[in-house]
Amino acid sequence: MASPSARSVPSAQSAVRSVRLFDDDVIAAVAGNAPREVKEIPLKWLAIFRARKVSFANSIAHRIKVVEVSVVNNPDDQHRIEGKVVCEIDVTEDMLNESGYLHEGCAVFLIDEYDFAFPHYANHPK
């Protein structure tokens, strides 16, 4: 009989990777060549903002649809990769500033929430 210390225990990292937060059909609806774990990153962030009941981010996050997540070679340096996240949202009156243009805070929210996925992926040990 093997002692408890001799048993193979999965690492925390492998255990986290095995958890599937989204059904396969949700991931399949997101086009692109990124691996599943990278496609999940923007979806996880949307879930966080959607869970905040009363906030600007909540009202915007409910309207965002992630349609593509891809990993592509940098056109200037083929040894580097870049990420591409494509989302769709209809700009509505509550997203506009007093001049009738997309409010700067809304634009920053949309950009900031999706520019983190690929540095995480690119810097993740393979």
Side-chain angles (χ1 to χ4, degrees), residues 48-104:
I48 290 168
F49 286 105
R50 288 173 177 165
R52 295 179 178 174
K53 298 300 178 199
V54 181
S55 74
F56 175 77
N58 172 279
S59 67
I60 302 303
H62 277 287
R63 297 181 251 173
I64 296 172
K65 179 181 179 189
V66 179
V67 295
E68 179 185 350
V69 180
S70 293
V71 177
V72 296
N73 287 327
N74 179 308
D76 298 323
D77 183 352
Q78 292 297 309
H79 299 291
R80 299 180 73 183
I81 60 171
E82 295 181 347
K84 176 178 162 183
V85 177
V86 178
C87 297
E88 294 178 348
I89 187 169
D90 290 328
V91 177
T92 56
E93 191 172 329
D94 64 322
M95 298 167 69
L96 304 179
N97 62 20
E98 293 176 358
S99 300
Y101 297 104
L102 182 64
H103 189 279
E104 297 83 4

Side-chain angles (χ1 to χ4, degrees), residues 6 20-21 30 32 48 50 72 87 106 124:
R20 298 215 175 215
L21 298 176
V30 178
I48 290 168
R50 288 173 177 165
V72 296
C87 297
C106 183
H124 190 274

